[in-house]
Amino acid sequence: MSQQNTEEQQIPTQEQTQEKKQRKPKEPKQPKQPKQKQPQVKKEKENEGLDVKKSENFGEWYSQLITKAELLDYYDISGCYILRPNAFFIWEQIQKFFDAKIKKLGVKNCMFPMFVTKRALETEKDHVEGFSPEVAWVTKCGSSDMEEPIAIRPTSETIMYPSYAKWIKSHRDLPLRLNQWTNVVRWEFKHAVPFIRSREFYWQEGHSAFANKEEADEEVLAILNEYANIYEQLLAVPVIKGKKTENEKFAGADYTTTVEAFIPANGRAVQGGTSHHLGQNFSRMFGIKFEDKNKETQLAYQNSWGFTTRSIGVMLMVHSDDKGLVLPPRVASTQVVVIPLYFKDKDNTALVEKAKEVVSELEKAGIRVELDDRLERTPGWKYNYWELRGIPLRIEVGPKDLEKNQLMLCRRDTGEKFTMALNEFSGSSIQNVLDKIHDSMLERAREERTKRLVFTRTWEEFIKELNSGNLCYIPWYESKAAEEYIKEQSKLQSVQSLSDSNSGLTGAAKSLCIPLDQSSFPSLEGLSTFYPEESDKKPTCWCLFGRSY
């Protein structure tokens, strides 16, 4: 009750009013102070969840999601972030999955220094031009200027390849296939987006050298397939495998392949991982030569390939909702939470024991499970707490469930609640539920993305679909001039959302990839490219364009 309402009910006399005016600086009556604290506690509880909708303000929703779900925290250097345990666990699962795959291919792990000399960085002209705006330089040691500035690696080609030149002398030294799990710095000046675009990020980078091009080409696609498997088998995110245009390929590469993901909520594409064939460009510059079986000197063929923590951001953006995270089971640090539903004034011993039995059974099956038996929190509060953190499956153990010899299960991805008989419960039965959750998450994401992939045959169709937040296949003939024209004109004719304009994202469309498999695509017969200056050029394939991060 407010102070004003209290005074109205008392209906003070004139003398009382004058007396109150004289005592105005005094605090309100003491008995009313405790009541004022209650709304603050309630408000604090409400703020534990997200207070903005994904569809209304995507940027703010995402910022709240990653901080309130304890994935990431901000740092006092712009564009750099702290990965909290919940996020780093996801990265560890990716590491574990991919590391096993590449070791089967014969790749070995190593670690090179993070610094590179200016001379080495500038060895490959196209390469350094592609990275020079993003290179961070160390120029001082204490208060003294360094004789030669040292760059912090934006990537490691120029750090590793002088050693490759020393180690590779004969065809017997090939193939040489190394990988390192590390961090890199790219001092971008664009608007930072946690996980998606930052100045420091974590990744793996592989570097291979082969005696012939055929082996190198084979590895490019093998690695690309494993990147797609990370997204689809771990993160439940569908991707499109393709080849980058000449304008978008890796600086210094012969060609670049990519997996492209899509964020339906804001119509943005994300480059999910790249596998490059470098040809002999770097081996020529760094002198990576070998003597073949015929005693002739040859240059090695090289590849490089990288996958980053950006993948975590893609997964979060695709799956999460207004309640918080929705995590695919295979990367969730906690896959199942077990919540006993205590009843007041009752003996809960049997209930607690059953909950512990459930936890023990799941742990034996290798399922990552947590028991939430906190007495000071209500079941409803616990539900909200774990939903915010995206735990895939909740198991409730209540008195009525025990009477019926059953457990109550609730899926985070759909909110579906269903019962499971105690005699049917086992580690394998719960694992089957987790696998179904993964499969349905992937299928939903694929269906949503497929609805937003559109074949456009004219410029007018292209702009209309682009402004509707879709990705567009367009008739394509390889041309850097055409790509610049499309980028510029689509920016001029763009329609941006408020959240996009506030985040530094532009309305310009760019090429994402030329899909590798176009066997089911429509015919290009009778179609023209979108660049007026080259309207006589006949399209040779479909190319995927869209707005991207």
Side-chain angles (χ1 to χ4, degrees):
M1 184 180 292
S2 69
Q3 183 177 339
Q4 181 181 355
N5 289 339
T6 304
E7 291 171 358
E8 287 174 354
Q9 288 182 359
Q10 291 174 346
I11 315 177
T13 62
Q14 185 176 1
E15 290 80 10
Q16 288 173 325
T17 303
Q18 289 176 351
E19 186 179 352
K20 283 189 176 183
K21 286 182 179 178
Q22 293 173 358
R23 292 182 299 181
K24 191 173 182 181
K26 288 188 177 181
E27 294 292 327
K29 291 182 179 180
Q30 292 302 318
K32 303 199 183 296
Q33 287 181 357
K35 292 184 179 180
Q36 293 174 2
K37 293 181 181 179
Q38 296 303 318
Q40 294 179 358
V41 175
K42 186 177 180 181
K43 185 176 181 181
E44 184 178 317
K45 285 187 178 181
E46 288 173 352
N47 284 342
E48 289 173 355
L50 308 185
D51 56 25
V52 63
K53 293 186 180 298
K54 185 177 184 179
S55 60
E56 293 177 358
N57 189 333
F58 184 80
E60 177 60 24
W61 168 84
Y62 183 65
S63 180
Q64 288 191 20
L65 176 79
I66 58 179
T67 52
K68 292 189 175 185
E70 300 176 341
L71 290 169
L72 175 147
D73 207 351
Y74 291 91
Y75 192 57
D76 57 5
I77 297 176
S78 177
C80 298
Y81 305 98
I82 301 165
L83 267 64
R84 300 185 66 176
N86 287 342
F88 203 78
F89 182 88
I90 298 170
W91 184 238
E92 286 178 319
Q93 296 307 108
I94 293 172
Q95 284 182 305
K96 182 179 177 182
F97 179 90
F98 186 69
D99 204 58
K101 297 287 188 181
I102 59 176
K103 282 177 178 174
K104 286 183 179 180
L105 294 175
V107 179
K108 296 180 179 180
N109 284 325
C110 64
M111 183 62 73
F112 278 73
M114 68 184 299
F115 300 112
V116 56
T117 65
K118 185 177 181 181
R119 175 183 53 79
L121 187 64
E122 294 178 347
T123 300
E124 216 289 341
K125 183 181 177 183
D126 290 340
H127 181 71
V128 71
E129 285 181 356
F131 282 104
S132 60
E134 302 173 354
V135 176
W137 295 92
V138 180
T139 59
K140 279 185 173 290
C141 177
S143 59
S144 304
D145 292 334
M146 298 180 67
E147 281 188 27
E148 181 185 5
I150 295 175
I152 302 174
R153 63 173 165 235
T155 181
S156 296
E157 281 80 2
T158 56
I159 296 174
M160 298 173 74
Y161 294 169
S163 295
Y164 278 44
K166 288 194 299 182
W167 298 341
I168 297 172
K169 298 300 180 185
S170 164
H171 64 89
R172 298 181 184 86
D173 300 322
L174 296 171
L176 178 61
R177 308 169 80 176
L178 300 180
N179 175 70
Q180 58 178 2
W181 295 91
T182 184
N183 59 341
V184 291
V185 173
R186 296 182 184 175
W187 212 256
E188 294 198 52
F189 291 94
K190 296 177 182 177
H191 187 92
V193 180
F195 291 116
I196 299 294
R197 188 171 60 225
S198 57
R199 287 178 169 172
E200 179 190 23
F201 56 88
Y202 301 92
W203 76 343
Q204 63 71 215
E205 55 174 323
H207 297 269
S208 305
F210 297 90
N212 59 70
K213 187 176 184 300
E214 291 73 23
E215 286 182 298
D217 287 336
E218 183 179 339
E219 186 199 61
V220 168
L221 292 181
I223 295 297
L224 191 72
N225 287 334
E226 294 303 341
Y227 287 163
N229 288 338
I230 294 174
Y231 275 105
E232 299 189 352
Q233 295 179 22
L234 283 188
L235 307 180
V237 173
V239 290
I240 296 171
K241 292 183 285 188
K243 182 180 177 183
K244 288 290 187 182
T245 62
E246 287 297 304
N247 209 42
E248 291 291 329
K249 73 178 183 181
F250 179 67
D254 269 13
Y255 65 85
T256 290
T257 62
T258 179
V259 288
E260 297 289 325
F262 178 60
I263 314 299
N266 65 357
R268 295 271 164 181
V270 182
Q271 179 180 288
T274 47
S275 181
H276 319 284
H277 176 55
L278 307 179
Q280 296 176 315
N281 299 330
F282 285 87
S283 60
R284 185 175 294 108
M285 294 295 177
F286 286 92
I288 305 174
K289 303 174 183 178
F290 66 96
E291 188 178 79
D292 66 13
K293 294 178 181 179
N294 298 321
K295 306 295 184 183
E296 294 180 0
T297 300
Q298 305 289 348
L299 291 171
Y301 288 89
Q302 291 181 265
N303 296 333
S304 68
W305 25 279
F307 192 93
T308 80
T309 43
R310 166 179 282 195
S311 55
I312 299 175
V314 172
M315 177 198 69
L316 301 177
M317 290 179 171
V318 169
H319 297 306
S320 299
D321 59 23
D322 293 341
K323 291 182 178 180
L325 295 183
V326 180
L327 291 175
R330 293 167 191 170
V331 294
S333 58
T334 299
Q335 296 171 304
V336 179
V337 60
V338 178
I339 301 178
L341 306 181
Y342 301 117
F343 270 42
K344 289 182 180 180
D345 304 322
K346 284 191 176 183
D347 183 3
N348 291 303
T349 304
L351 185 146
V352 173
E353 289 304 313
K354 178 55 66 176
K356 290 181 178 179
E357 285 178 22
V358 168
V359 169
S360 177
E361 180 68 23
L362 296 181
E363 287 177 336
K364 290 177 184 176
I367 293 171
R368 299 183 290 274
V369 58
E370 185 157 339
L371 174 65
D372 190 345
D373 57 356
R374 289 175 286 181
L375 296 173
E376 71 276 12
R377 297 297 186 184
T378 65
W381 188 95
K382 293 177 183 180
Y383 298 163
N384 292 334
Y385 178 88
W386 295 109
E387 284 177 351
L388 174 63
R389 287 155 181 78
I391 308 309
L393 186 64
R394 182 175 79 234
I395 299 179
E396 302 167 13
V397 184
K400 293 182 179 179
D401 294 317
L402 291 186
E403 289 175 5
K404 297 177 181 178
N405 291 312
Q406 66 182 26
L407 299 171
M408 181 65 72
L409 280 63
C410 182
R411 288 174 51 161
R412 175 63 183 91
D413 63 320
T414 62
E416 176 193 0
K417 296 189 75 170
F418 56 99
T419 59
M420 177 179 285
L422 284 175
N423 61 6
E424 294 177 358
F425 167 78
S426 65
S428 60
S429 66
I430 295 301
Q431 185 59 60
N432 288 338
V433 174
L434 294 174
D435 289 340
K436 287 179 181 178
I437 291 173
H438 175 93
D439 293 343
S440 61
M441 287 178 69
L442 176 59
E443 189 56 33
R444 277 196 305 275
R446 182 176 282 119
E447 287 177 1
E448 180 63 26
R449 185 206 59 184
T450 301
K451 289 189 293 187
R452 306 284 288 277
L453 287 171
V454 183
F455 287 91
T456 56
R457 293 162 173 80
T458 65
W459 179 261
E460 291 74 21
E461 286 180 358
F462 173 64
I463 291 298
K464 178 185 175 183
E465 297 297 342
L466 191 66
N467 286 334
S468 297
N470 296 325
L471 299 183
C472 303
Y473 291 114
I474 72 169
W476 183 247
Y477 177 90
E478 186 64 58
S479 167
K480 289 187 177 182
E483 188 152 357
E484 290 302 319
Y485 171 84
I486 292 171
K487 188 179 293 185
E488 195 60 37
Q489 290 300 312
S490 62
K491 182 178 180 179
L492 292 174
Q493 300 180 44
S494 70
V495 176
Q496 282 185 274
S497 69
L498 180 62
S499 61
D500 272 2
S501 60
N502 288 341
S503 66
L505 296 172
T506 71
K510 59 182 282 189
S511 69
L512 305 173
C513 71
I514 299 168
L516 297 181
D517 183 8
Q518 302 198 14
S519 58
S520 62
F521 286 12
S523 170
L524 290 160
E525 188 175 351
L527 300 180
S528 301
T529 60
F530 292 168
Y531 184 38
E533 298 296 322
E534 295 178 352
S535 58
D536 59 322
K537 304 286 188 183
K538 295 295 182 184
T540 58
C541 61
W542 291 95
C543 185
L544 186 63
F545 271 71
R547 296 189 175 119
S548 71
Y549 279 100

PDB file of all heavy atoms in Angstrom, residues 227 231 239 258-261 270-274 306-308 310-311 314:
ATOM      1  N   TYR A 227      33.365 -31.145 -41.333  1.00  0.00           N
ATOM      2  CA  TYR A 227      32.796 -29.901 -40.815  1.00  0.00           C
ATOM      3  C   TYR A 227      31.265 -29.962 -40.856  1.00  0.00           C
ATOM      4  O   TYR A 227      30.585 -29.561 -39.909  1.00  0.00           O
ATOM      5  CB  TYR A 227      33.296 -28.702 -41.614  1.00  0.00           C
ATOM      6  CG  TYR A 227      34.741 -28.321 -41.367  1.00  0.00           C
ATOM      7  CD1 TYR A 227      35.434 -27.496 -42.257  1.00  0.00           C
ATOM      8  CD2 TYR A 227      35.422 -28.776 -40.242  1.00  0.00           C
ATOM      9  CE1 TYR A 227      36.747 -27.132 -42.030  1.00  0.00           C
ATOM     10  CE2 TYR A 227      36.741 -28.427 -40.011  1.00  0.00           C
ATOM     11  CZ  TYR A 227      37.408 -27.598 -40.909  1.00  0.00           C
ATOM     12  OH  TYR A 227      38.719 -27.239 -40.686  1.00  0.00           O
ATOM     13  N   TYR A 231      28.337 -29.900 -37.592  1.00  0.00           N
ATOM     14  CA  TYR A 231      27.093 -29.134 -37.521  1.00  0.00           C
ATOM     15  C   TYR A 231      25.875 -30.037 -37.411  1.00  0.00           C
ATOM     16  O   TYR A 231      24.985 -29.798 -36.585  1.00  0.00           O
ATOM     17  CB  TYR A 231      26.963 -28.222 -38.742  1.00  0.00           C
ATOM     18  CG  TYR A 231      27.682 -26.909 -38.569  1.00  0.00           C
ATOM     19  CD1 TYR A 231      28.892 -26.658 -39.209  1.00  0.00           C
ATOM     20  CD2 TYR A 231      27.156 -25.901 -37.766  1.00  0.00           C
ATOM     21  CE1 TYR A 231      29.558 -25.457 -39.043  1.00  0.00           C
ATOM     22  CE2 TYR A 231      27.803 -24.697 -37.590  1.00  0.00           C
ATOM     23  CZ  TYR A 231      29.010 -24.474 -38.233  1.00  0.00           C
ATOM     24  OH  TYR A 231      29.664 -23.288 -38.055  1.00  0.00           O
ATOM     25  N   VAL A 239      23.634 -27.545 -42.950  1.00  0.00           N
ATOM     26  CA  VAL A 239      24.524 -26.640 -43.683  1.00  0.00           C
ATOM     27  C   VAL A 239      24.517 -26.991 -45.167  1.00  0.00           C
ATOM     28  O   VAL A 239      24.140 -28.099 -45.549  1.00  0.00           O
ATOM     29  CB  VAL A 239      25.971 -26.694 -43.142  1.00  0.00           C
ATOM     30  CG1 VAL A 239      26.059 -26.073 -41.757  1.00  0.00           C
ATOM     31  CG2 VAL A 239      26.513 -28.123 -43.134  1.00  0.00           C
ATOM     32  N   THR A 258      33.359 -24.404 -48.508  1.00  0.00           N
ATOM     33  CA  THR A 258      32.748 -23.874 -47.294  1.00  0.00           C
ATOM     34  C   THR A 258      31.493 -24.642 -46.911  1.00  0.00           C
ATOM     35  O   THR A 258      30.874 -25.294 -47.766  1.00  0.00           O
ATOM     36  CB  THR A 258      32.389 -22.381 -47.508  1.00  0.00           C
ATOM     37  OG1 THR A 258      31.763 -21.857 -46.337  1.00  0.00           O
ATOM     38  CG2 THR A 258      31.425 -22.215 -48.674  1.00  0.00           C
ATOM     39  N   VAL A 259      31.131 -24.581 -45.638  1.00  0.00           N
ATOM     40  CA  VAL A 259      29.806 -24.992 -45.196  1.00  0.00           C
ATOM     41  C   VAL A 259      29.100 -23.733 -44.718  1.00  0.00           C
ATOM     42  O   VAL A 259      29.632 -22.979 -43.912  1.00  0.00           O
ATOM     43  CB  VAL A 259      29.851 -26.058 -44.071  1.00  0.00           C
ATOM     44  CG1 VAL A 259      30.292 -27.392 -44.624  1.00  0.00           C
ATOM     45  CG2 VAL A 259      30.752 -25.641 -42.916  1.00  0.00           C
ATOM     46  N   GLU A 260      27.898 -23.484 -45.248  1.00  0.00           N
ATOM     47  CA  GLU A 260      27.155 -22.261 -44.947  1.00  0.00           C
ATOM     48  C   GLU A 260      25.911 -22.595 -44.126  1.00  0.00           C
ATOM     49  O   GLU A 260      25.122 -23.470 -44.483  1.00  0.00           O
ATOM     50  CB  GLU A 260      26.743 -21.549 -46.241  1.00  0.00           C
ATOM     51  CG  GLU A 260      27.909 -21.075 -47.092  1.00  0.00           C
ATOM     52  CD  GLU A 260      28.657 -19.894 -46.483  1.00  0.00           C
ATOM     53  OE1 GLU A 260      27.988 -19.044 -45.847  1.00  0.00           O
ATOM     54  OE2 GLU A 260      29.894 -19.826 -46.651  1.00  0.00           O
ATOM     55  N   ALA A 261      25.757 -21.889 -43.023  1.00  0.00           N
ATOM     56  CA  ALA A 261      24.588 -22.050 -42.157  1.00  0.00           C
ATOM     57  C   ALA A 261      23.661 -20.854 -42.321  1.00  0.00           C
ATOM     58  O   ALA A 261      24.049 -19.819 -42.884  1.00  0.00           O
ATOM     59  CB  ALA A 261      25.030 -22.188 -40.702  1.00  0.00           C
ATOM     60  N   VAL A 270      25.764 -17.558 -42.244  1.00  0.00           N
ATOM     61  CA  VAL A 270      27.030 -17.561 -41.514  1.00  0.00           C
ATOM     62  C   VAL A 270      27.957 -18.582 -42.158  1.00  0.00           C
ATOM     63  O   VAL A 270      27.571 -19.733 -42.359  1.00  0.00           O
ATOM     64  CB  VAL A 270      26.838 -17.927 -40.026  1.00  0.00           C
ATOM     65  CG1 VAL A 270      28.179 -17.861 -39.295  1.00  0.00           C
ATOM     66  CG2 VAL A 270      25.834 -17.009 -39.357  1.00  0.00           C
ATOM     67  N   GLN A 271      29.170 -18.134 -42.477  1.00  0.00           N
ATOM     68  CA  GLN A 271      30.184 -19.062 -42.979  1.00  0.00           C
ATOM     69  C   GLN A 271      30.601 -19.959 -41.833  1.00  0.00           C
ATOM     70  O   GLN A 271      31.157 -19.506 -40.840  1.00  0.00           O
ATOM     71  CB  GLN A 271      31.378 -18.271 -43.515  1.00  0.00           C
ATOM     72  CG  GLN A 271      32.512 -19.137 -44.038  1.00  0.00           C
ATOM     73  CD  GLN A 271      33.658 -18.298 -44.555  1.00  0.00           C
ATOM     74  OE1 GLN A 271      33.567 -17.663 -45.610  1.00  0.00           O
ATOM     75  NE2 GLN A 271      34.755 -18.243 -43.812  1.00  0.00           N
ATOM     76  N   GLY A 272      30.338 -21.254 -41.959  1.00  0.00           N
ATOM     77  CA  GLY A 272      30.487 -22.152 -40.823  1.00  0.00           C
ATOM     78  C   GLY A 272      31.821 -22.845 -40.690  1.00  0.00           C
ATOM     79  O   GLY A 272      32.146 -23.380 -39.629  1.00  0.00           O
ATOM     80  N   GLY A 273      32.621 -22.859 -41.737  1.00  0.00           N
ATOM     81  CA  GLY A 273      33.918 -23.536 -41.718  1.00  0.00           C
ATOM     82  C   GLY A 273      34.436 -23.609 -43.142  1.00  0.00           C
ATOM     83  O   GLY A 273      33.640 -23.733 -44.081  1.00  0.00           O
ATOM     84  N   THR A 274      35.741 -23.514 -43.321  1.00  0.00           N
ATOM     85  CA  THR A 274      36.290 -23.489 -44.678  1.00  0.00           C
ATOM     86  C   THR A 274      37.464 -24.447 -44.823  1.00  0.00           C
ATOM     87  O   THR A 274      38.252 -24.640 -43.893  1.00  0.00           O
ATOM     88  CB  THR A 274      36.769 -22.068 -45.064  1.00  0.00           C
ATOM     89  OG1 THR A 274      37.563 -21.525 -43.997  1.00  0.00           O
ATOM     90  CG2 THR A 274      35.591 -21.152 -45.323  1.00  0.00           C
ATOM     91  N   GLY A 306      40.026 -24.650 -41.475  1.00  0.00           N
ATOM     92  CA  GLY A 306      39.790 -24.140 -40.125  1.00  0.00           C
ATOM     93  C   GLY A 306      38.321 -24.138 -39.721  1.00  0.00           C
ATOM     94  O   GLY A 306      37.427 -23.923 -40.547  1.00  0.00           O
ATOM     95  N   PHE A 307      38.103 -24.359 -38.420  1.00  0.00           N
ATOM     96  CA  PHE A 307      36.765 -24.408 -37.833  1.00  0.00           C
ATOM     97  C   PHE A 307      36.834 -23.711 -36.486  1.00  0.00           C
ATOM     98  O   PHE A 307      37.729 -23.977 -35.686  1.00  0.00           O
ATOM     99  CB  PHE A 307      36.334 -25.866 -37.649  1.00  0.00           C
ATOM    100  CG  PHE A 307      34.887 -26.061 -37.317  1.00  0.00           C
ATOM    101  CD1 PHE A 307      33.954 -26.280 -38.321  1.00  0.00           C
ATOM    102  CD2 PHE A 307      34.445 -26.026 -36.003  1.00  0.00           C
ATOM    103  CE1 PHE A 307      32.616 -26.468 -38.026  1.00  0.00           C
ATOM    104  CE2 PHE A 307      33.112 -26.217 -35.687  1.00  0.00           C
ATOM    105  CZ  PHE A 307      32.186 -26.435 -36.704  1.00  0.00           C
ATOM    106  N   THR A 308      35.879 -22.815 -36.203  1.00  0.00           N
ATOM    107  CA  THR A 308      36.013 -21.935 -35.050  1.00  0.00           C
ATOM    108  C   THR A 308      34.842 -22.037 -34.066  1.00  0.00           C
ATOM    109  O   THR A 308      33.837 -22.705 -34.321  1.00  0.00           O
ATOM    110  CB  THR A 308      36.105 -20.462 -35.512  1.00  0.00           C
ATOM    111  OG1 THR A 308      34.788 -19.981 -35.812  1.00  0.00           O
ATOM    112  CG2 THR A 308      36.974 -20.309 -36.736  1.00  0.00           C
ATOM    113  N   ARG A 310      32.831 -19.870 -33.674  1.00  0.00           N
ATOM    114  CA  ARG A 310      31.658 -19.270 -34.332  1.00  0.00           C
ATOM    115  C   ARG A 310      30.515 -20.288 -34.408  1.00  0.00           C
ATOM    116  O   ARG A 310      29.333 -19.923 -34.349  1.00  0.00           O
ATOM    117  CB  ARG A 310      32.048 -18.814 -35.743  1.00  0.00           C
ATOM    118  CG  ARG A 310      30.885 -18.495 -36.644  1.00  0.00           C
ATOM    119  CD  ARG A 310      31.355 -18.029 -38.014  1.00  0.00           C
ATOM    120  NE  ARG A 310      31.785 -16.651 -37.967  1.00  0.00           N
ATOM    121  CZ  ARG A 310      31.973 -15.883 -39.046  1.00  0.00           C
ATOM    122  NH1 ARG A 310      31.790 -16.394 -40.241  1.00  0.00           N
ATOM    123  NH2 ARG A 310      32.352 -14.632 -38.929  1.00  0.00           N
ATOM    124  N   SER A 311      30.857 -21.549 -34.537  1.00  0.00           N
ATOM    125  CA  SER A 311      29.851 -22.619 -34.640  1.00  0.00           C
ATOM    126  C   SER A 311      28.919 -22.631 -33.431  1.00  0.00           C
ATOM    127  O   SER A 311      27.735 -22.972 -33.560  1.00  0.00           O
ATOM    128  CB  SER A 311      30.540 -23.975 -34.787  1.00  0.00           C
ATOM    129  OG  SER A 311      31.454 -24.190 -33.709  1.00  0.00           O
ATOM    130  N   VAL A 314      26.265 -19.990 -33.977  1.00  0.00           N
ATOM    131  CA  VAL A 314      25.297 -20.454 -34.970  1.00  0.00           C
ATOM    132  C   VAL A 314      24.262 -21.358 -34.319  1.00  0.00           C
ATOM    133  O   VAL A 314      23.051 -21.197 -34.494  1.00  0.00           O
ATOM    134  CB  VAL A 314      26.004 -21.197 -36.124  1.00  0.00           C
ATOM    135  CG1 VAL A 314      24.991 -21.847 -37.051  1.00  0.00           C
ATOM    136  CG2 VAL A 314      26.897 -20.244 -36.907  1.00  0.00           C
TER     137      VAL A 314
END
